[in-house]
Amino acid sequence: MEEYIVSARKYRPTSFDTVVGQQALTTTLKNAVKSGKLAHAYLFCGPRGVGKTTCARIFAKAINCLTPTDQGEACGHCESCQAFNEQRSFNIFELDAASNNSVEHIKTLMEQTRIPPQVGKYKVFIIDEVHMLSTAAFNAFLKTLEEPPAHVIFILATTEKHKILPTILSRCQIYDFERMTVANTIEHLKSVAEREGITYEEEALAVIAEKADGGMRDALSIFDQAASFCQGNITYQKVIEDLNVLDSEYYFQIVDLANMNKVSDIMVLLNQIINKGFDGGLLIQGLAKHVRNVLMAKDPQTLPLLEVSEQQRQRYQQQAQKCETRMLYEALRLMNQCDINYRQSSNKRLLVELTLIEIAQITQPDEGPSAGRRPRRLKTLFKQLMQQPQPKQAAPQVAAAEPAVSTTVKTSTPSTATTSPAPAPSPAKRPKLSSITTSWKNLLNQPKGQTPGDAAAEGAKSGSDDAATTQRPFDQQELELEWMSMCNRMPQQFSGIATRMKNMSPVITDYPAVEIVADNQLALEQMQQIKGKILNTLKLHLRNDAITLTMRQAEHHEVGKILTRREQYELMEKENPSIAKLRNLLDLQLA
């Protein structure tokens, strides 16, 4: 029985012309061989399975060929080429840096560079996975790499160029290998299948090419696996079954169902996918890639970006004509957010289901029943309520003691409350949100020289919904309460000064003048920067636009001592002896 050789080795390129997907790079190397302008060090870098080591061997063979062709290829018949093909050449050395990465191995290699070649012009040293060399080995290699003997050429290969020392990079000609495109991989797999006498479906080869992720060696390995499973007839269904790949038909169905807002059918389809053993996260990733391809298929300029078979490309174009661009953009955003949150989610299936539900409802109109739709933001809801037209009502009789406040409350009541009218609130109660908002709006737009009373009278006279400003009296207790509430409502960017302001107590000096004393100059400067906002807030919530605010730094005798927790407790115990009795009764001790 003939010995079996895997396709990756059996069909390994032996000349520059048979290398797949690296035409620009191989042309450069052939021109260097033809002209004889060879550098002393080359660095081949790129992802796995794209031909770095293969090109290094072909290049080394062509360099030492005694009778190269006019295109820069090795002849394959001379003594040097035959010795290379039979793996007995003493002029080409290949070193695996992953297992020979110490200084001793590099020193041994350096000693071999002193011996001139027996046949041919050069001794070529191929060092694979060069990034695995230790730092000491790199440093020992530096001098020889910079000024090697005239008969020595180094070819380094690596998948991780960023791990190589910059001093090494500066001494080499760097060649970056490209990833294999799906089209190139499919064409190469077709030629291999024809040589092996294997029948195939182009869609099946496209699945293998996508699974290989740009690596030809990976593609050939997967091809051998699929050929063994399919027994010489590679079909699409058998390949996705063998490789455990989700059928792309599911993605087409999900997008079609989402366009028709059929949430229930999508949930049934998701259950089928999960029951087949596929992970929800992989489904979201595959669906995102599918939607991206649909989006690319909408524009003829981006159509070449689809790395799929011709049959799949036509299906993408057909589905792209049914989908709105806005829907595709929003679906990509939702799936990207799901992919980010998937690992941290404790209920992964629910997260996937919610994402698919939102995608299925992107094109659903806003009118009509909205069961299952995303809830509206409260801010938007309040805005709509405030913008609703108010039914015209006769102005009620208002007590003379609080004309502005009563008018504000009555006129700002939403129309929905007319069926069950409530009694007018007392002056001590705080007005509703809509009353405060409209009063604040009037306060900002109030013309210069106009008194609050005039504004209230004018607002009541015109019948508008904006509340009039007042000069409601307030006491020290209300002032301190509103001060603390204001500090708690201050945004995050003012959290530092808000904490300091909580320890300050505003004082009514000459009603309605308010004074606040800061403990230090820093706190005073920070408060003065927002003095206008503080004053306007006090006027708004105390409903008195005559309030004035002064700020100053505390005198030396006004600065109180900062008490510790124990001192605070002792002071409380001194002021209230019942606390000491409670501590003794419960047998408590201070920590």
Side-chain angles (χ1 to χ4, degrees):
M1 182 177 179
E2 184 180 356
E3 182 182 0
Y4 173 73
I5 303 176
V6 296
S7 298
R9 293 180 55 197
K10 186 176 181 180
Y11 297 101
R12 192 169 197 165
T14 57
S15 63
F16 286 124
D17 290 337
T18 56
V19 176
V20 180
Q22 311 294 342
Q23 184 176 2
L25 189 144
T26 54
T27 302
T28 305
L29 296 178
K30 286 194 295 184
N31 292 337
V33 174
K34 285 192 299 183
S35 62
K37 298 178 179 179
L38 301 173
H40 63 275
Y42 295 87
L43 175 63
F44 293 171
C45 51
R48 70 183 189 279
V50 294
K52 299 184 297 297
T53 307
T54 299
C55 284
R57 292 174 179 174
I58 296 173
F59 188 41
K61 179 181 176 182
I63 287 173
N64 274 326
C65 181
L66 301 178
T67 57
T69 64
D70 296 336
Q71 289 77 27
E73 296 275 8
C75 67
H77 306 295
C78 65
E79 174 60 25
S80 176
C81 292
Q82 290 181 0
F84 177 83
N85 294 335
E86 297 171 5
Q87 298 182 357
R88 56 180 177 82
S89 175
F90 290 99
N91 295 339
I92 300 175
F93 298 89
E94 189 169 344
L95 177 69
D96 179 21
S99 55
N100 302 277
N101 56 3
S102 64
V103 178
E104 289 73 16
H105 293 111
I106 293 298
K107 288 182 177 180
T108 303
L109 182 67
M110 295 305 101
E111 293 176 358
Q112 295 179 2
T113 61
R114 301 175 184 176
I115 305 172
Q118 296 178 349
V119 180
K121 299 180 181 180
Y122 300 98
K123 294 191 74 171
V124 183
F125 294 87
I126 301 173
I127 305 179
D128 202 5
E129 302 298 334
V130 69
H131 66 274
M132 298 293 289
L133 288 177
S134 63
T135 304
F138 269 130
N139 293 330
F141 186 40
L142 272 177
K143 189 62 178 178
T144 306
L145 183 64
E146 183 175 11
E147 297 177 358
H151 58 270
V152 171
I153 293 179
F154 292 103
I155 303 178
L156 315 179
T158 179
T159 56
E160 301 181 42
K161 183 174 66 173
H162 61 279
K163 292 186 178 181
I164 300 178
L165 296 179
T167 49
I168 298 289
L169 297 177
S170 63
R171 290 165 168 80
C172 302
Q173 282 190 10
I174 301 175
Y175 290 82
D176 290 307
F177 283 68
E178 300 176 358
R179 304 181 73 88
M180 298 295 171
T181 63
V182 173
N184 287 338
T185 306
I186 292 175
E187 291 300 321
H188 188 63
L189 292 179
K190 286 181 179 179
S191 64
V192 173
E194 291 171 357
R195 294 181 191 178
E196 294 291 328
I198 298 174
T199 58
Y200 59 87
E201 293 179 0
E202 187 171 348
E203 288 188 2
L205 300 184
V207 172
I208 295 175
E210 292 178 10
K211 187 77 172 179
D213 193 24
M216 186 61 72
R217 182 172 61 241
D218 293 354
L220 291 172
S221 299
I222 298 173
F223 175 82
D224 288 344
Q225 176 183 342
S228 176
F229 178 78
C230 300
Q231 292 295 312
N233 182 21
I234 301 179
T235 61
Y236 176 77
Q237 291 297 332
K238 290 183 178 179
V239 166
I240 62 174
E241 181 183 353
D242 180 39
L243 301 181
N244 196 29
V245 177
L246 185 60
D247 190 356
S248 61
E249 185 65 30
Y250 285 109
Y251 300 138
F252 284 103
Q253 291 182 19
I254 290 175
V255 174
D256 287 338
L257 292 174
N259 266 330
M260 296 182 288
N261 310 125
K262 294 185 177 180
V263 177
S264 301
D265 294 343
I266 293 179
M267 293 297 102
V268 173
L269 198 60
L270 173 63
N271 186 64
Q272 295 177 5
I273 294 172
I274 293 178
N275 287 340
K276 288 186 176 183
F278 292 100
D279 181 65
L282 296 178
L283 169 65
I284 291 296
Q285 294 174 10
L287 184 60
K289 184 178 180 180
H290 175 85
V291 173
R292 176 260 181 195
N293 289 343
V294 175
L295 185 62
M296 295 298 105
K298 290 186 72 69
D299 192 340
Q301 293 182 350
T302 56
L303 192 60
L305 299 179
L306 297 182
E307 294 187 346
V308 294
S309 63
E310 187 61 32
Q311 185 177 358
Q312 288 286 87
R313 187 178 309 224
Q314 294 176 1
R315 291 201 63 185
Y316 279 121
Q317 286 181 293
Q318 294 173 2
Q319 191 169 68
Q321 296 174 358
K322 305 176 186 177
C323 300
E324 300 178 4
T325 304
R326 180 187 65 85
M327 178 263 188
L328 298 176
Y329 283 142
E330 183 66 16
L332 284 174
R333 186 189 66 80
L334 292 172
M335 288 184 287
N336 180 62
Q337 193 65 33
C338 176
D339 188 37
I340 294 173
N341 299 330
Y342 188 78
R343 288 187 178 182
Q344 290 78 19
S345 176
S346 58
N347 194 339
K348 294 179 170 51
R349 175 164 181 168
L350 179 60
L351 176 63
V352 174
E353 290 176 343
L354 290 176
T355 302
L356 294 178
I357 290 173
E358 288 184 301
I359 293 173
Q361 295 181 342
I362 293 174
T363 57
Q364 180 174 331
D366 294 337
E367 292 79 18
S370 59
R373 299 293 303 278
R374 183 187 300 177
R376 291 179 294 175
R377 294 179 182 271
L378 293 178
K379 184 176 180 181
T380 307
L381 181 62
F382 288 149
K383 183 178 180 181
Q384 293 176 356
L385 288 176
M386 294 177 62
Q387 291 178 350
Q388 289 180 355
Q390 303 290 338
K392 295 184 178 180
Q393 302 179 10
Q397 298 294 330
V398 185
E402 295 289 337
V405 175
S406 301
T407 304
T408 300
V409 174
K410 289 293 183 179
T411 57
S412 62
T413 305
S415 59
T416 55
T418 55
T419 56
S420 58
S426 61
K429 292 184 179 180
R430 187 173 299 177
K432 295 183 180 179
L433 176 62
S434 57
S435 304
I436 297 177
T437 306
T438 51
S439 299
W440 180 234
K441 179 179 179 181
N442 277 351
L443 182 62
L444 291 176
N445 298 330
Q446 177 179 319
K448 294 183 178 179
Q450 183 179 16
T451 63
D454 296 337
E458 182 178 353
K461 186 176 181 179
S462 61
S464 64
D465 292 336
D466 294 340
T469 56
T470 62
Q471 292 191 14
R472 176 185 173 277
F474 62 92
D475 55 17
Q476 180 67 28
Q477 184 177 359
E478 287 182 290
L479 174 63
E480 293 178 356
L481 177 61
E482 292 299 340
W483 178 269
M484 188 59 63
S485 300
M486 176 187 66
C487 294
N488 291 330
R489 291 193 305 268
M490 290 178 71
Q492 184 66 28
Q493 60 193 39
F494 299 119
S495 59
I497 185 60
T499 304
R500 296 185 180 93
M501 289 171 58
K502 289 179 182 179
N503 296 326
M504 305 177 190
S505 297
V507 179
I508 303 175
T509 55
D510 185 11
Y511 183 87
V514 177
E515 182 185 57
I516 185 70
V517 180
D519 294 337
N520 52 66
Q521 182 65 26
L522 179 61
L524 179 62
E525 292 176 355
Q526 292 179 343
M527 289 175 55
Q528 285 177 343
Q529 293 177 0
I530 57 173
K531 179 179 178 181
K533 297 180 181 179
I534 296 174
L535 178 59
N536 291 336
T537 303
L538 293 178
K539 287 181 179 180
L540 178 64
H541 291 277
L542 292 174
R543 288 179 287 164
N544 192 319
D545 59 351
I547 297 175
T548 60
L549 181 64
T550 57
M551 299 179 179
R552 66 177 178 86
Q553 184 176 351
E555 301 293 339
H556 182 70
H557 63 278
E558 294 177 327
V559 178
K561 178 184 176 183
I562 300 178
L563 302 179
T564 63
R565 294 291 185 183
R566 177 178 292 275
E567 291 174 341
Q568 292 176 1
Y569 172 78
E570 291 175 352
L571 181 61
M572 292 171 55
E573 194 178 66
K574 183 177 180 182
E575 295 176 353
N576 193 349
S578 301
I579 296 179
K581 294 180 181 179
L582 179 63
R583 187 190 67 169
N584 295 331
L585 181 63
L586 299 177
D587 194 19
L588 300 177
Q589 296 181 356
L590 290 178

